[in-house]
Amino acid sequence: MMGDKEIPKKEVGNGSKKKKKKRGGSKRRMTSEQTLAYNCVSEWVFLDRSHSPTDDFALPWNQPKEKLGFEFHSHSIHSDGFLSPSKLVERAHQNGVANFMMCFVSLLKLFKGEVKVLSLTDHDTLSGIPEALEAASRFGIKIIPGVEISTMFTQGRDSASDEPVHILAYYSSCGPAKFDQVDKYLSSIRGGRFLRAENMILKLNKLKLPLKWEQVAKIAGKGVAPGRLHVARAMVEAGHVENLRQAFSRYLYDGGPAYATGSEPLAEEAVQFICETGGVAVLAHPWALKDPIAVVRRLKEVGLHGIEAYRSDGKVAAYSDLADAYDLLKLGGSDFHGRGGKQESEVGSVSLPMLAVHEFLKVARPIWVRAIKEILENYIKYPSETNLQLIMSFGKPKVCRGISPASCPGDFISRCLSLWFTSEERQNSEFEAIKLKLAAISINQ
């Protein structure tokens, strides 16, 4: 896997002769640390899946365990991606199958790039998550509800040093702990994106590049807050530039002649908000920042959990060191949009080490467990149809068949609990108390 150290080949005697290599190469043995990481991560990955080898492709022919694939950064048509959430999930699945067949034929590393966990992280919206979850249940992929929040980082009085910063938020299977607050927060940012797009169009028109709002709105799609990519696509369609890359490099880059800002919150506020609503906050693509050290230092103080340090071309050493210096998690993803071309990394193309995912889950799981408990406690206090639907829109697993959420909500959620929590997480008094309260709701109804 990319990012892992290669094991040196051993020589025999005084080094003049090399041990004859066996056909097919030698197997890499997992260390005890890697084994522990795999066991913990796989228990979580397969919580809502049957464990038959046919269904979950679990380790046939004793292949190395750490070949599970993870995609922590992707986009759909609900923001500036080109694929629907279901098509995105299907693409991730097909890439895994293609890699499997290619590696099987060549007898190389089996299951390299097989995406088993995917986070949809559209810009400033969670609206694509339910569709992604529905599609993922057909392909055996686990979805982490995510969002990439647009923020602004300011150094102080000098506005010239201000720059846009994107924060990735990763939530539990049931979504944010305070969904209404998150929805309102993201809605406000999306409103600013409309104003921002209008300002970019005005600037382009002043540059003698005529563009109409209707063109951009049509490309963005109904209900989607337009971004720079939608403006860039409109510019290509109008013949003002040859391609998207040219639109950005000439006009739409940060601080460019047609660049504009919206109503983005301060980066520090966004990180704090993510923490308050049961999410894990990770700094996206730090290599795109003017002063990543200043950003990381400030955001760490208010609760930042990690930064992206892995890309399709491997681990970025400078940002790995930066993460170590500030005791932050190291994540990464393809930032896939589906626009095509050689410049874009394919979904699932980042080889994230199992140890990195394990470290992420060690931080994320306690946060998510608390968030799910808060959501359920709120439902127990206010057992309304609206609150039930909110839980089900994110957390409804495919295996809870035979029980109607509407007629037996308590029983339904009780069964879901074993699919949201690992066996270790369920072994506490709070979990038992929640089950009793949920059972009481079913009896009353």
Side-chain angles (χ1 to χ4, degrees):
M1 291 179 67
M2 211 176 293
D4 287 343
K5 293 181 180 178
E6 292 294 328
I7 297 179
K9 297 172 184 176
K10 294 184 179 178
E11 296 183 356
V12 207
N14 60 7
S16 58
K17 294 181 181 179
K18 291 185 179 180
K19 192 174 180 179
K20 192 174 181 181
K21 190 189 284 186
K22 294 181 181 179
R23 290 186 67 185
S26 58
K27 291 183 181 178
R28 290 177 60 185
R29 293 197 175 190
M30 291 176 65
T31 65
S32 58
E33 187 182 19
Q34 289 172 324
T35 301
L36 174 64
Y38 176 81
N39 291 339
C40 293
V41 172
S42 62
E43 180 187 9
W44 169 73
V45 169
F46 300 124
L47 272 177
D48 59 350
R49 301 274 303 283
S50 62
H51 290 269
S52 67
T54 309
D55 184 44
D56 64 22
F57 303 101
L59 315 177
W61 307 302
N62 298 316
Q63 287 299 317
K65 293 179 178 179
E66 67 267 29
K67 300 307 178 222
L68 297 178
F70 305 88
E71 175 58 79
F72 277 86
H73 193 163
S74 62
H75 299 275
S76 77
I77 57 173
H78 284 257
S79 62
D80 57 352
F82 284 67
L83 302 178
S84 67
S86 56
K87 289 294 182 184
L88 172 66
V89 171
E90 187 177 348
R91 176 76 160 255
H93 172 70
Q94 287 175 344
N95 286 349
V97 171
N99 282 327
F100 165 75
M101 294 305 296
M102 181 176 65
C103 295
F104 177 77
V105 171
S106 60
L107 297 177
L108 294 173
K109 293 178 182 178
L110 202 58
F111 295 107
K112 180 182 178 183
E114 176 126 5
V115 177
K116 290 299 179 188
V117 176
L118 182 144
S119 183
L120 176 58
T121 53
D122 275 321
H123 292 281
D124 308 313
T125 182
L126 288 160
S127 60
I129 301 298
E131 183 185 335
L133 284 164
E134 181 63 32
S137 68
R138 300 196 300 271
F139 297 112
I141 292 176
K142 190 179 188 75
I143 297 294
I144 298 177
V147 59
E148 184 172 358
I149 301 180
S150 308
T151 77
M152 191 60 66
F153 182 80
T154 176
Q155 294 274 29
R157 294 180 181 178
D158 182 16
S159 60
S161 63
D162 293 355
E163 65 175 324
V165 169
H166 290 184
I167 311 293
L168 293 159
Y170 300 106
Y171 289 105
S172 78
S173 299
C174 290
K178 301 176 177 70
F179 182 82
D180 289 344
Q181 291 182 26
V182 173
D183 190 46
K184 185 178 179 180
Y185 186 81
L186 297 178
S187 234
S188 173
I189 300 174
R190 291 197 301 274
R193 289 171 74 88
F194 283 95
L195 180 61
R196 177 194 187 208
E198 289 174 353
N199 287 335
M200 285 191 283
I201 292 169
L202 285 174
K203 289 185 176 184
L204 287 168
N205 290 340
K206 287 180 180 179
L207 293 168
K208 308 300 182 186
L209 299 173
L211 209 63
K212 293 184 178 179
W213 167 255
E214 290 75 17
Q215 293 171 272
V216 176
K218 183 179 178 182
I219 290 171
K222 187 178 179 181
V224 176
R228 277 188 285 185
L229 186 62
H230 301 119
V231 176
R233 287 172 63 186
M235 292 175 70
V236 173
E237 286 187 6
H240 299 319
V241 290
E242 294 179 8
N243 50 48
L244 298 175
R245 189 180 184 86
Q246 198 175 88
F248 277 88
S249 64
R250 291 185 180 180
Y251 303 102
L252 301 175
Y253 61 88
D254 291 355
Y259 177 75
T261 58
S263 56
E264 297 89 354
L266 291 175
E268 299 95 317
E269 293 175 0
V271 169
Q272 289 174 318
F273 185 76
I274 292 167
C275 295
E276 290 166 3
T277 54
V280 178
V282 174
L283 177 64
H285 31 71
W287 42 84
L289 301 174
K290 299 174 191 173
D291 189 354
I293 295 175
V295 174
V296 167
R297 184 190 301 118
R298 184 95 61 84
L299 298 188
K300 170 65 178 179
E301 292 173 355
V302 294
L304 185 71
H305 297 101
I307 66 173
E308 288 194 309
Y310 290 91
R311 302 193 303 191
S312 297
D313 54 0
K315 181 165 64 174
V316 187
Y319 301 101
S320 176
D321 293 342
L322 184 59
D324 289 336
Y326 287 92
D327 192 25
L328 293 167
L329 298 169
K330 302 172 196 176
L331 281 186
S334 65
D335 196 5
F336 179 77
H337 287 76
R339 66 175 69 102
K342 296 179 181 178
Q343 306 301 327
E344 183 174 43
S345 299
E346 185 57 67
V347 62
S349 61
V350 175
S351 294
L352 202 58
M354 185 65 68
L355 291 175
V357 179
H358 185 219
E359 290 302 314
F360 168 75
L361 287 178
K362 282 199 290 187
V363 171
R365 286 303 296 169
I367 294 171
W368 292 345
V369 168
R370 288 195 298 272
I372 293 175
K373 286 178 179 176
E374 185 176 338
I375 291 168
L376 294 178
E377 288 286 3
N378 184 59
Y379 173 72
I380 289 167
K381 191 174 181 180
Y382 306 106
S384 68
E385 181 68 21
T386 302
N387 283 338
L388 179 62
Q389 289 302 320
L390 190 58
I391 295 171
M392 292 301 103
S393 65
F394 283 91
K396 182 180 179 180
K398 63 178 180 177
V399 295
C400 283
R401 294 169 183 158
I403 297 181
S404 167
S407 60
C408 301
D411 291 346
F412 188 88
I413 296 175
S414 290
R415 184 180 291 192
C416 292
L417 290 177
S418 62
L419 306 172
W420 294 334
F421 297 128
T422 64
S423 55
E424 183 180 351
E425 290 163 350
R426 292 197 305 271
Q427 293 171 3
N428 61 68
S429 56
E430 289 180 87
F431 178 81
E432 293 301 324
I434 286 173
K435 285 203 297 185
L436 288 172
K437 291 173 184 176
L438 288 168
I441 290 174
S442 290
I443 291 170
N444 291 336
Q445 292 188 345

